[in-house]
Amino acid sequence: MHQTRRRDRRPARRAGTVPTRHQAPALTIDGADVVIVGYFSGKQKDFGTLMDAAAQELGARGARVVGRIVQRRGVSDGGAEKMALPYSSRTLLTYGKVREAAVLCERTNTDAAVFVGHLTQRQRRVLTGMLGCPAVSLADALAVD
């Protein structure tokens, strides 16, 4: 038997409508103050080199790196089988690391938080709200200019 939709459920999608994708706002890297955020597995030993390379690439585009945040999975807690997985599908990071990044972004009046890895649209939206500044992936930040 078919049940009618209740108030607590999402409304039915109207026929013929296609949901629009949220586009990241255009970000000018030249002259921007940025915080670099990296998420790495505990097995990845060259994370410092990757963070330095990201800072150099952003610096070459005219950005000023005002801080760095690193989240490493599998270093202190968690099993070896979970090391390649993010802590959270919404933020990639632990809640404490997101708070730490938000405090750094606020304290340094950051224009953007640049993540070394790829971010989904949902992650961009959630992290932008939590950090108080645009959250973009490194590839997106370098592709703007």
Side-chain angles (χ1 to χ4, degrees), residues 73-114:
R73 176 72 188 245
V75 175
S76 59
D77 60 357
E81 66 276 357
K82 294 182 180 179
M83 282 212 290
L85 300 174
Y87 279 108
S88 166
S89 62
R90 291 178 67 227
T91 63
L92 294 178
L93 312 170
T94 60
Y95 183 67
K97 197 57 79 169
V98 173
R99 280 192 325 231
E100 183 181 331
V103 167
L104 179 61
C105 289
E106 183 181 347
R107 190 183 71 213
T108 58
N109 199 19
T110 302
D111 296 317
V114 178

mmCIF file of all heavy atoms in Angstrom, residues 73-114:
data_model
loop_
_atom_site.group_PDB
_atom_site.id
_atom_site.type_symbol
_atom_site.label_atom_id
_atom_site.label_comp_id
_atom_site.label_asym_id
_atom_site.label_seq_id
_atom_site.Cartn_x
_atom_site.Cartn_y
_atom_site.Cartn_z
ATOM 1 N N ARG A 73 46.337 10.856 9.691
ATOM 2 C CA ARG A 73 45.496 9.729 10.118
ATOM 3 C C ARG A 73 46.371 8.522 10.413
ATOM 4 O O ARG A 73 47.251 8.186 9.649
ATOM 5 C CB ARG A 73 44.506 9.378 9.004
ATOM 6 C CG ARG A 73 43.637 8.173 9.285
ATOM 7 C CD ARG A 73 42.629 8.548 10.353
ATOM 8 N NE ARG A 73 41.866 7.419 10.817
ATOM 9 C CZ ARG A 73 40.567 7.263 10.650
ATOM 10 N NH1 ARG A 73 39.889 8.165 10.007
ATOM 11 N NH2 ARG A 73 39.960 6.231 11.143
ATOM 12 N N GLY A 74 46.126 7.896 11.550
ATOM 13 C CA GLY A 74 46.837 6.678 11.891
ATOM 14 C C GLY A 74 48.108 6.885 12.663
ATOM 15 O O GLY A 74 48.860 5.945 12.896
ATOM 16 N N VAL A 75 48.398 8.092 13.076
ATOM 17 C CA VAL A 75 49.612 8.357 13.824
ATOM 18 C C VAL A 75 49.399 8.102 15.313
ATOM 19 O O VAL A 75 50.177 7.423 15.961
ATOM 20 C CB VAL A 75 50.095 9.809 13.592
ATOM 21 C CG1 VAL A 75 51.287 10.131 14.454
ATOM 22 C CG2 VAL A 75 50.423 10.007 12.130
ATOM 23 N N SER A 76 48.288 8.617 15.854
ATOM 24 C CA SER A 76 48.070 8.459 17.286
ATOM 25 C C SER A 76 46.945 7.494 17.615
ATOM 26 O O SER A 76 47.072 6.692 18.518
ATOM 27 C CB SER A 76 47.785 9.817 17.933
ATOM 28 O OG SER A 76 46.649 10.395 17.343
ATOM 29 N N ASP A 77 45.838 7.544 16.899
ATOM 30 C CA ASP A 77 44.737 6.629 17.175
ATOM 31 C C ASP A 77 44.135 6.144 15.872
ATOM 32 O O ASP A 77 44.360 6.716 14.821
ATOM 33 C CB ASP A 77 43.659 7.278 18.048
ATOM 34 C CG ASP A 77 43.049 8.502 17.410
ATOM 35 O OD1 ASP A 77 43.495 8.899 16.320
ATOM 36 O OD2 ASP A 77 42.127 9.076 17.990
ATOM 37 N N GLY A 78 43.406 5.059 15.942
ATOM 38 C CA GLY A 78 42.826 4.485 14.730
ATOM 39 C C GLY A 78 43.644 3.300 14.267
ATOM 40 O O GLY A 78 44.834 3.203 14.541
ATOM 41 N N GLY A 79 43.000 2.394 13.582
ATOM 42 C CA GLY A 79 43.672 1.203 13.114
ATOM 43 C C GLY A 79 44.385 1.405 11.796
ATOM 44 O O GLY A 79 44.141 2.361 11.070
ATOM 45 N N ALA A 80 45.264 0.493 11.482
ATOM 46 C CA ALA A 80 46.032 0.572 10.250
ATOM 47 C C ALA A 80 45.137 0.481 9.025
ATOM 48 O O ALA A 80 45.422 1.083 7.991
ATOM 49 C CB ALA A 80 47.081 -0.531 10.214
ATOM 50 N N GLU A 81 44.026 -0.254 9.127
ATOM 51 C CA GLU A 81 43.128 -0.397 7.979
ATOM 52 C C GLU A 81 42.363 0.881 7.680
ATOM 53 O O GLU A 81 41.811 1.035 6.605
ATOM 54 C CB GLU A 81 42.135 -1.551 8.196
ATOM 55 C CG GLU A 81 41.140 -1.336 9.315
ATOM 56 C CD GLU A 81 41.647 -1.693 10.704
ATOM 57 O OE1 GLU A 81 42.780 -2.177 10.828
ATOM 58 O OE2 GLU A 81 40.908 -1.461 11.677
ATOM 59 N N LYS A 82 42.331 1.823 8.598
ATOM 60 C CA LYS A 82 41.593 3.072 8.404
ATOM 61 C C LYS A 82 42.487 4.241 8.018
ATOM 62 O O LYS A 82 42.012 5.350 7.870
ATOM 63 C CB LYS A 82 40.849 3.439 9.690
ATOM 64 C CG LYS A 82 39.760 2.473 10.073
ATOM 65 C CD LYS A 82 39.066 2.948 11.324
ATOM 66 C CE LYS A 82 37.967 2.012 11.725
ATOM 67 N NZ LYS A 82 37.312 2.468 12.955
ATOM 68 N N MET A 83 43.786 4.011 7.845
ATOM 69 C CA MET A 83 44.705 5.123 7.635
ATOM 70 C C MET A 83 44.445 5.921 6.370
ATOM 71 O O MET A 83 44.697 7.116 6.331
ATOM 72 C CB MET A 83 46.145 4.643 7.641
ATOM 73 C CG MET A 83 46.644 4.404 9.040
ATOM 74 S SD MET A 83 48.366 4.726 9.271
ATOM 75 C CE MET A 83 49.147 3.442 8.399
ATOM 76 N N ALA A 84 43.945 5.317 5.322
ATOM 77 C CA ALA A 84 43.706 6.049 4.078
ATOM 78 C C ALA A 84 42.348 6.741 4.063
ATOM 79 O O ALA A 84 42.065 7.525 3.171
ATOM 80 C CB ALA A 84 43.809 5.099 2.891
ATOM 81 N N LEU A 85 41.497 6.481 5.061
ATOM 82 C CA LEU A 85 40.161 7.059 5.103
ATOM 83 C C LEU A 85 40.160 8.380 5.862
ATOM 84 O O LEU A 85 40.896 8.547 6.830
ATOM 85 C CB LEU A 85 39.192 6.093 5.792
ATOM 86 C CG LEU A 85 39.034 4.725 5.136
ATOM 87 C CD1 LEU A 85 38.155 3.836 6.003
ATOM 88 C CD2 LEU A 85 38.454 4.869 3.750
ATOM 89 N N PRO A 86 39.329 9.331 5.449
ATOM 90 C CA PRO A 86 39.229 10.588 6.201
ATOM 91 C C PRO A 86 38.516 10.368 7.527
ATOM 92 O O PRO A 86 37.782 9.401 7.695
ATOM 93 C CB PRO A 86 38.401 11.486 5.281
ATOM 94 C CG PRO A 86 37.635 10.557 4.425
ATOM 95 C CD PRO A 86 38.467 9.321 4.265
ATOM 96 N N TYR A 87 38.755 11.247 8.481
ATOM 97 C CA TYR A 87 38.055 11.169 9.760
ATOM 98 C C TYR A 87 36.570 11.440 9.587
ATOM 99 O O TYR A 87 35.744 10.870 10.246
ATOM 100 C CB TYR A 87 38.639 12.177 10.760
ATOM 101 C CG TYR A 87 39.893 11.681 11.424
ATOM 102 C CD1 TYR A 87 41.125 12.220 11.099
ATOM 103 C CD2 TYR A 87 39.850 10.673 12.374
ATOM 104 C CE1 TYR A 87 42.271 11.767 11.708
ATOM 105 C CE2 TYR A 87 40.992 10.221 12.981
ATOM 106 C CZ TYR A 87 42.203 10.771 12.647
ATOM 107 O OH TYR A 87 43.337 10.315 13.247
ATOM 108 N N SER A 88 36.237 12.355 8.706
ATOM 109 C CA SER A 88 34.847 12.736 8.479
ATOM 110 C C SER A 88 34.629 12.946 6.987
ATOM 111 O O SER A 88 35.450 13.594 6.332
ATOM 112 C CB SER A 88 34.528 14.027 9.227
ATOM 113 O OG SER A 88 33.316 14.581 8.793
ATOM 114 N N SER A 89 33.543 12.411 6.457
ATOM 115 C CA SER A 89 33.262 12.625 5.035
ATOM 116 C C SER A 89 32.846 14.065 4.774
ATOM 117 O O SER A 89 32.948 14.548 3.649
ATOM 118 C CB SER A 89 32.163 11.675 4.561
ATOM 119 O OG SER A 89 30.970 11.916 5.261
ATOM 120 N N ARG A 90 32.387 14.767 5.789
ATOM 121 C CA ARG A 90 31.979 16.165 5.622
ATOM 122 C C ARG A 90 33.156 17.122 5.649
ATOM 123 O O ARG A 90 33.156 18.144 4.974
ATOM 124 C CB ARG A 90 30.997 16.569 6.726
ATOM 125 C CG ARG A 90 29.650 15.900 6.599
ATOM 126 C CD ARG A 90 28.726 16.285 7.733
ATOM 127 N NE ARG A 90 28.385 17.692 7.647
ATOM 128 C CZ ARG A 90 28.431 18.530 8.681
ATOM 129 N NH1 ARG A 90 28.786 18.114 9.864
ATOM 130 N NH2 ARG A 90 28.088 19.779 8.527
ATOM 131 N N THR A 91 34.168 16.834 6.474
ATOM 132 C CA THR A 91 35.246 17.797 6.664
ATOM 133 C C THR A 91 36.643 17.245 6.410
ATOM 134 O O THR A 91 37.593 18.013 6.416
ATOM 135 C CB THR A 91 35.235 18.334 8.109
ATOM 136 O OG1 THR A 91 35.490 17.258 9.003
ATOM 137 C CG2 THR A 91 33.918 19.001 8.434
ATOM 138 N N LEU A 92 36.789 15.957 6.233
ATOM 139 C CA LEU A 92 38.065 15.254 6.116
ATOM 140 C C LEU A 92 38.828 15.203 7.435
ATOM 141 O O LEU A 92 39.583 14.284 7.690
ATOM 142 C CB LEU A 92 38.995 15.899 5.071
ATOM 143 C CG LEU A 92 38.596 15.864 3.625
ATOM 144 C CD1 LEU A 92 39.623 16.603 2.785
ATOM 145 C CD2 LEU A 92 38.476 14.442 3.144
ATOM 146 N N LEU A 93 38.654 16.184 8.271
ATOM 147 C CA LEU A 93 39.444 16.350 9.486
ATOM 148 C C LEU A 93 38.637 15.990 10.722
ATOM 149 O O LEU A 93 37.421 15.847 10.661
ATOM 150 C CB LEU A 93 39.892 17.816 9.600
ATOM 151 C CG LEU A 93 40.498 18.447 8.358
ATOM 152 C CD1 LEU A 93 40.663 19.936 8.559
ATOM 153 C CD2 LEU A 93 41.812 17.800 8.021
ATOM 154 N N THR A 94 39.323 15.901 11.858
ATOM 155 C CA THR A 94 38.606 15.751 13.119
ATOM 156 C C THR A 94 38.001 17.097 13.491
ATOM 157 O O THR A 94 38.429 18.149 13.004
ATOM 158 C CB THR A 94 39.551 15.306 14.255
ATOM 159 O OG1 THR A 94 40.570 16.287 14.431
ATOM 160 C CG2 THR A 94 40.169 13.946 13.972
ATOM 161 N N TYR A 95 37.018 17.054 14.368
ATOM 162 C CA TYR A 95 36.362 18.293 14.783
ATOM 163 C C TYR A 95 37.358 19.227 15.465
ATOM 164 O O TYR A 95 37.336 20.443 15.246
ATOM 165 C CB TYR A 95 35.190 17.981 15.711
ATOM 166 C CG TYR A 95 34.429 19.203 16.132
ATOM 167 C CD1 TYR A 95 33.690 19.932 15.204
ATOM 168 C CD2 TYR A 95 34.461 19.657 17.438
ATOM 169 C CE1 TYR A 95 33.003 21.073 15.567
ATOM 170 C CE2 TYR A 95 33.780 20.793 17.818
ATOM 171 C CZ TYR A 95 33.049 21.495 16.881
ATOM 172 O OH TYR A 95 32.383 22.624 17.251
ATOM 173 N N GLY A 96 38.261 18.683 16.259
ATOM 174 C CA GLY A 96 39.263 19.504 16.936
ATOM 175 C C GLY A 96 40.196 20.202 15.968
ATOM 176 O O GLY A 96 40.572 21.363 16.158
ATOM 177 N N LYS A 97 40.571 19.511 14.899
ATOM 178 C CA LYS A 97 41.465 20.106 13.902
ATOM 179 C C LYS A 97 40.734 21.191 13.101
ATOM 180 O O LYS A 97 41.322 22.210 12.740
ATOM 181 C CB LYS A 97 41.993 19.023 12.971
ATOM 182 C CG LYS A 97 43.193 19.433 12.176
ATOM 183 C CD LYS A 97 44.365 19.886 13.013
ATOM 184 C CE LYS A 97 45.144 18.742 13.590
ATOM 185 N NZ LYS A 97 46.429 19.155 14.178
ATOM 186 N N VAL A 98 39.442 20.993 12.857
ATOM 187 C CA VAL A 98 38.653 22.029 12.173
ATOM 188 C C VAL A 98 38.564 23.268 13.059
ATOM 189 O O VAL A 98 38.708 24.399 12.584
ATOM 190 C CB VAL A 98 37.247 21.513 11.800
ATOM 191 C CG1 VAL A 98 36.387 22.642 11.253
ATOM 192 C CG2 VAL A 98 37.345 20.396 10.773
ATOM 193 N N ARG A 99 38.341 23.077 14.359
ATOM 194 C CA ARG A 99 38.307 24.227 15.293
ATOM 195 C C ARG A 99 39.649 24.936 15.313
ATOM 196 O O ARG A 99 39.707 26.171 15.333
ATOM 197 C CB ARG A 99 37.947 23.747 16.702
ATOM 198 C CG ARG A 99 36.490 23.523 16.913
ATOM 199 C CD ARG A 99 36.164 23.342 18.376
ATOM 200 N NE ARG A 99 37.234 22.644 19.080
ATOM 201 C CZ ARG A 99 37.082 21.580 19.851
ATOM 202 N NH1 ARG A 99 35.890 21.100 20.065
ATOM 203 N NH2 ARG A 99 38.107 21.015 20.438
ATOM 204 N N GLU A 100 40.734 24.168 15.328
ATOM 205 C CA GLU A 100 42.070 24.758 15.320
ATOM 206 C C GLU A 100 42.287 25.587 14.049
ATOM 207 O O GLU A 100 42.823 26.698 14.102
ATOM 208 C CB GLU A 100 43.105 23.635 15.397
ATOM 209 C CG GLU A 100 44.539 24.090 15.457
ATOM 210 C CD GLU A 100 45.502 22.921 15.502
ATOM 211 O OE1 GLU A 100 45.144 21.836 16.010
ATOM 212 O OE2 GLU A 100 46.643 23.105 15.018
ATOM 213 N N ALA A 101 41.849 25.063 12.918
ATOM 214 C CA ALA A 101 41.974 25.794 11.650
ATOM 215 C C ALA A 101 41.104 27.049 11.660
ATOM 216 O O ALA A 101 41.522 28.099 11.169
ATOM 217 C CB ALA A 101 41.601 24.887 10.481
ATOM 218 N N ALA A 102 39.895 26.951 12.226
ATOM 219 C CA ALA A 102 39.003 28.109 12.290
ATOM 220 C C ALA A 102 39.608 29.221 13.151
ATOM 221 O O ALA A 102 39.533 30.404 12.796
ATOM 222 C CB ALA A 102 37.638 27.695 12.831
ATOM 223 N N VAL A 103 40.216 28.852 14.260
ATOM 224 C CA VAL A 103 40.855 29.844 15.130
ATOM 225 C C VAL A 103 42.020 30.512 14.398
ATOM 226 O O VAL A 103 42.191 31.728 14.448
ATOM 227 C CB VAL A 103 41.323 29.196 16.453
ATOM 228 C CG1 VAL A 103 42.254 30.103 17.228
ATOM 229 C CG2 VAL A 103 40.125 28.809 17.294
ATOM 230 N N LEU A 104 42.813 29.710 13.693
ATOM 231 C CA LEU A 104 43.940 30.264 12.942
ATOM 232 C C LEU A 104 43.454 31.197 11.835
ATOM 233 O O LEU A 104 44.015 32.277 11.636
ATOM 234 C CB LEU A 104 44.790 29.136 12.350
ATOM 235 C CG LEU A 104 45.997 29.561 11.528
ATOM 236 C CD1 LEU A 104 46.983 30.364 12.381
ATOM 237 C CD2 LEU A 104 46.678 28.348 10.931
ATOM 238 N N CYS A 105 42.406 30.790 11.122
ATOM 239 C CA CYS A 105 41.852 31.636 10.052
ATOM 240 C C CYS A 105 41.325 32.955 10.606
ATOM 241 O O CYS A 105 41.526 34.014 10.008
ATOM 242 C CB CYS A 105 40.747 30.895 9.303
ATOM 243 S SG CYS A 105 41.336 29.543 8.267
ATOM 244 N N GLU A 106 40.671 32.899 11.752
ATOM 245 C CA GLU A 106 40.134 34.117 12.359
ATOM 246 C C GLU A 106 41.247 35.013 12.886
ATOM 247 O O GLU A 106 41.231 36.226 12.695
ATOM 248 C CB GLU A 106 39.176 33.756 13.491
ATOM 249 C CG GLU A 106 38.522 34.967 14.129
ATOM 250 C CD GLU A 106 37.587 34.587 15.261
ATOM 251 O OE1 GLU A 106 37.247 33.407 15.400
ATOM 252 O OE2 GLU A 106 37.204 35.504 16.008
ATOM 253 N N ARG A 107 42.221 34.401 13.546
ATOM 254 C CA ARG A 107 43.313 35.168 14.144
ATOM 255 C C ARG A 107 44.163 35.875 13.092
ATOM 256 O O ARG A 107 44.629 36.994 13.311
ATOM 257 C CB ARG A 107 44.188 34.244 14.991
ATOM 258 C CG ARG A 107 45.198 34.980 15.850
ATOM 259 C CD ARG A 107 46.091 34.043 16.608
ATOM 260 N NE ARG A 107 46.978 33.422 15.642
ATOM 261 C CZ ARG A 107 47.448 32.201 15.711
ATOM 262 N NH1 ARG A 107 47.143 31.429 16.705
ATOM 263 N NH2 ARG A 107 48.247 31.724 14.790
ATOM 264 N N THR A 108 44.359 35.235 11.946
ATOM 265 C CA THR A 108 45.209 35.813 10.903
ATOM 266 C C THR A 108 44.421 36.552 9.831
ATOM 267 O O THR A 108 45.011 37.030 8.865
ATOM 268 C CB THR A 108 46.044 34.702 10.228
ATOM 269 O OG1 THR A 108 45.170 33.726 9.682
ATOM 270 C CG2 THR A 108 47.014 34.074 11.204
ATOM 271 N N ASN A 109 43.090 36.628 9.998
ATOM 272 C CA ASN A 109 42.229 37.298 9.033
ATOM 273 C C ASN A 109 42.460 36.756 7.616
ATOM 274 O O ASN A 109 42.707 37.496 6.668
ATOM 275 C CB ASN A 109 42.428 38.811 9.072
ATOM 276 C CG ASN A 109 41.260 39.545 8.451
ATOM 277 O OD1 ASN A 109 40.172 39.001 8.315
ATOM 278 N ND2 ASN A 109 41.498 40.783 8.060
ATOM 279 N N THR A 110 42.374 35.449 7.507
ATOM 280 C CA THR A 110 42.680 34.729 6.282
ATOM 281 C C THR A 110 41.621 34.959 5.212
ATOM 282 O O THR A 110 40.434 35.008 5.498
ATOM 283 C CB THR A 110 42.770 33.218 6.599
ATOM 284 O OG1 THR A 110 43.772 33.040 7.593
ATOM 285 C CG2 THR A 110 43.115 32.412 5.390
ATOM 286 N N ASP A 111 42.073 35.058 3.967
ATOM 287 C CA ASP A 111 41.165 35.202 2.835
ATOM 288 C C ASP A 111 40.645 33.853 2.344
ATOM 289 O O ASP A 111 39.566 33.785 1.768
ATOM 290 C CB ASP A 111 41.856 35.922 1.677
ATOM 291 C CG ASP A 111 42.233 37.349 2.053
ATOM 292 O OD1 ASP A 111 41.401 38.039 2.675
ATOM 293 O OD2 ASP A 111 43.367 37.770 1.736
ATOM 294 N N ALA A 112 41.425 32.765 2.557
ATOM 295 C CA ALA A 112 41.000 31.436 2.102
ATOM 296 C C ALA A 112 41.790 30.357 2.817
ATOM 297 O O ALA A 112 42.931 30.574 3.220
ATOM 298 C CB ALA A 112 41.193 31.295 0.602
ATOM 299 N N ALA A 113 41.147 29.193 2.948
ATOM 300 C CA ALA A 113 41.826 27.999 3.436
ATOM 301 C C ALA A 113 42.012 27.090 2.229
ATOM 302 O O ALA A 113 41.041 26.686 1.586
ATOM 303 C CB ALA A 113 40.998 27.307 4.505
ATOM 304 N N VAL A 114 43.251 26.794 1.909
ATOM 305 C CA VAL A 114 43.562 25.989 0.732
ATOM 306 C C VAL A 114 43.934 24.588 1.192
ATOM 307 O O VAL A 114 44.897 24.403 1.927
ATOM 308 C CB VAL A 114 44.718 26.622 -0.084
ATOM 309 C CG1 VAL A 114 45.061 25.755 -1.287
ATOM 310 C CG2 VAL A 114 44.357 28.023 -0.521
#
